[in-house]
Amino acid sequence: MKKIALFVAAAMLAGATISCHHNEADEHEHHHEHGEQMTAYNNDFELFAEVGSLIVGEDCDILAHLTRLSNFKPLDSAKVVMQVKVGDKLQEVALNKPEKAGIYHFELKPEAAGCGSIYFEISTGDTISRIGFGHVHFYADRHAMEEHAHGHDHGHGHSHNHEAHNHSHSHEGHDHGHEHAHADASANAITFTKEQSWKVDFATEVLRPVKFGRVIRTSAQVLPSAGDEREISAKTSGIVVFASKNLVDGTQVGAGQRLFTIESSGMADNNMGVRFQEAESAYRLAKSEYERKQKLAEDKIVSQSDLQRAKMELESAQAIYNNLKTNFSAKGQTVSAPISGYVKNIAVKNGAYVEAGQVLATVSQNKELSIRAEVQPRYYEDLAHVQSANIKLMNSDQVFCITGMGNAHHVYGRSTDPNNPLIPVTFTFPNKLNLVSGSFVTLYITTEGENEVVTIPNTGIVEDMGAYFVFVQITPEQFEKREVALGATDGERTVLASGVKAGERVVSKGAIMVKLAAGAGALDPHAGHVH
């Protein structure tokens, strides 16, 4: 694994300041050195830019790291136009592709001094996304830059983060939600470069207050839902003969497909072959008698009541014959699949004797499942206010929200059994997860909450020597390890009871990789960017 080192913020030495207007408070938030790290977000992208000295007439390198927020992977192919505006002066630099995945290297020679802006227009297909920075200072010469730095530098390094919205190319952008980080926080920061984060499963998110209620955690069993399974039973006694030697548990079958035959032709009692022949003979005799009386009725030889009686006898004989013909043959009963699905279990052996009513097999559609759990009576009132339910698979870190699936619903018992004082709770949902009926899962039932808290995905929490930590973002490449107190968890997200506050951006996925970077940080002081 590539060595990871603490980032030495050389790019932040003496340069442009973000704000063109200063007061006493600003002096503690701005550091004027020869380089600047700037961060902005919109609905689609994270922009992390390393900007050189913005001096009129001098060459300046601008490295723009562009990350897709949908998966936190680099923007690997898109046209990006950098627009630099100072007063009425507009400069544009266009790049049709990145220097390497996610990194666009712009070269700029500022043409005007003053307070301006740097925005980037990203063209991906038919969509143009706009992101960048307002209130950027451009200097007339190096002397002006040094005077500006000398007048406002109190020794605090900084980076700037802007929460910005998406803009079309015809509108001027506006920055929102400024976040400032100071040298005292970044001095002990953990460096995890964009190139490193792009290679792993990584993400960040802003902590926002949400309502989070009580969590009921319990074990539950996966069961087939009512109507999703059908048992196949023998309608007569006899010897079972499989329709195919490949008929085993798990075989896919279609509705009406023949699965078994129950033969009784060799038996003295309940011989289906004899019954079938008798039914066929009775049907043919009744049909012949009815047709004969029909002709006699035309000549008024047979009364209408006799003709009607012959018709009723024909219909009765025909019904018996058709029923046997559909379900039986001269050999015995034909057993077919009542629904399409999978053979769940075969309860008999080929060639075995079965009685009428005995279960032969079960066919399951496996389209809908139920999760059944039992909870303590003290949660009874909470069960009327269920907000969501997650399941965690055994021997796996995967967590799924079953209430977020279509047509999901739950029911719970209104009373308890003297022999079992627990309350049954059943969630029914489409089997989009291909769960195995009969298996066990951990169920997290979350009820509606009134108090607002901040939560983080469990993938953003690390444990170290019995304490729990999250990584708070200073810049997209620098993170502060912060100890936190944990609250309730729904299996996917956990309440952060203390240690952080709403509005801070934290690592939400891949925190373990940042922890590993912290352990390797002191090995190589020159490790980091490779542009």
Side-chain angles (χ1 to χ4, degrees), residues 187-475:
N188 297 317
I190 300 165
T191 296
F192 195 63
T193 67
K194 295 306 301 178
E195 292 91 332
Q196 290 166 341
S197 68
W198 286 337
K199 293 177 181 178
V200 297
D201 195 13
F202 179 87
T204 65
E205 68 174 54
V206 176
L207 296 177
R208 305 194 187 282
V210 296
K211 291 184 178 180
F212 197 91
R214 172 180 284 186
V215 178
I216 305 170
R217 181 181 183 272
T218 184
S219 295
Q221 187 175 21
V222 181
L223 301 171
S225 66
D228 194 69
E229 286 189 355
R230 292 283 296 275
E231 287 187 340
I232 305 172
S233 301
K235 295 182 179 179
T236 185
S237 302
I239 304 300
V240 176
V241 178
F242 285 26
S244 170
K245 63 180 180 180
N246 296 321
L247 184 63
V248 294
D249 290 353
T251 302
Q252 186 174 2
V253 296
Q257 179 179 336
R258 186 169 67 91
L259 304 181
F260 311 98
T261 299
I262 300 179
E263 298 181 352
S264 58
S265 58
M267 297 183 177
D269 297 329
N270 199 26
N271 191 314
M272 290 308 303
V274 174
R275 289 180 58 188
F276 182 77
Q277 290 177 0
E278 289 175 347
E280 184 178 15
S281 298
Y283 164 66
R284 296 189 185 281
L285 180 61
K287 183 179 180 183
S288 175
E289 182 64 13
Y290 175 69
E291 291 173 349
R292 185 182 70 82
K293 288 186 177 182
Q294 243 186 343
K295 292 179 181 180
L296 294 175
E298 294 175 0
D299 298 330
K300 307 296 183 180
I301 298 174
V302 174
S303 66
Q304 286 296 320
S305 60
D306 287 343
L307 180 63
Q308 190 65 26
R309 189 179 301 109
K311 182 179 180 182
M312 292 174 62
E313 291 175 354
L314 170 61
E315 289 175 348
S316 176
Q318 186 177 16
I320 295 172
Y321 172 67
N322 287 341
N323 178 59
L324 292 174
K325 185 178 180 181
T326 301
N327 297 287
F328 301 89
S329 66
K331 290 185 177 181
Q333 178 194 356
T334 300
V335 182
S336 303
I339 57 174
S340 297
Y342 299 85
V343 177
K344 181 179 178 181
N345 66 285
I346 299 175
V348 295
K349 294 182 179 180
N350 192 18
Y353 174 80
V354 296
E355 296 283 354
Q358 184 175 337
V359 175
L360 306 177
T362 303
V363 176
S364 175
Q365 291 180 318
N366 208 32
K367 291 182 179 179
E368 195 173 61
L369 292 176
S370 294
I371 298 286
R372 188 181 188 279
E374 294 181 334
V375 302
Q376 297 179 13
R378 63 191 177 97
Y379 296 120
Y380 178 76
E381 292 185 2
D382 295 322
L383 295 176
H385 306 284
V386 172
Q387 186 176 52
S388 65
N390 296 335
I391 58 172
K392 181 177 181 294
L393 307 184
M394 295 295 182
N395 302 318
S396 172
D397 291 329
Q398 289 182 295
V399 177
F400 302 96
C401 178
I402 56 176
T403 49
M405 300 179 185
N407 300 320
H409 61 277
H410 82 284
V411 294
Y412 60 95
R414 264 59 176 184
S415 61
T416 59
D417 190 297
N419 297 322
N420 183 9
L422 300 179
I423 299 173
V425 184
T426 303
F427 290 85
T428 302
F429 57 95
N431 187 19
K432 298 179 181 179
L433 307 177
N434 292 323
L435 297 178
V436 178
S437 179
S439 60
F440 287 87
V441 298
T442 300
L443 175 65
Y444 298 87
I445 305 173
T446 305
T447 63
E448 297 174 359
E450 296 181 357
N451 299 324
E452 288 191 336
V453 295
V454 292
T455 66
I456 187 174
N458 291 352
T459 51
I461 302 171
V462 296
E463 186 269 339
D464 191 0
M465 302 294 291
Y468 294 95
F469 298 87
V470 299
F471 295 97
V472 180
Q473 177 174 301
I474 301 171
T475 76

Side-chain angles (χ1 to χ4, degrees), residues 137-153:
H137 203 98
F138 295 79
Y139 298 95
D141 52 36
R142 189 165 294 275
H143 177 70
M145 180 188 68
E146 291 173 351
E147 279 193 344
H148 193 277
H150 179 73
H152 297 86
D153 188 358

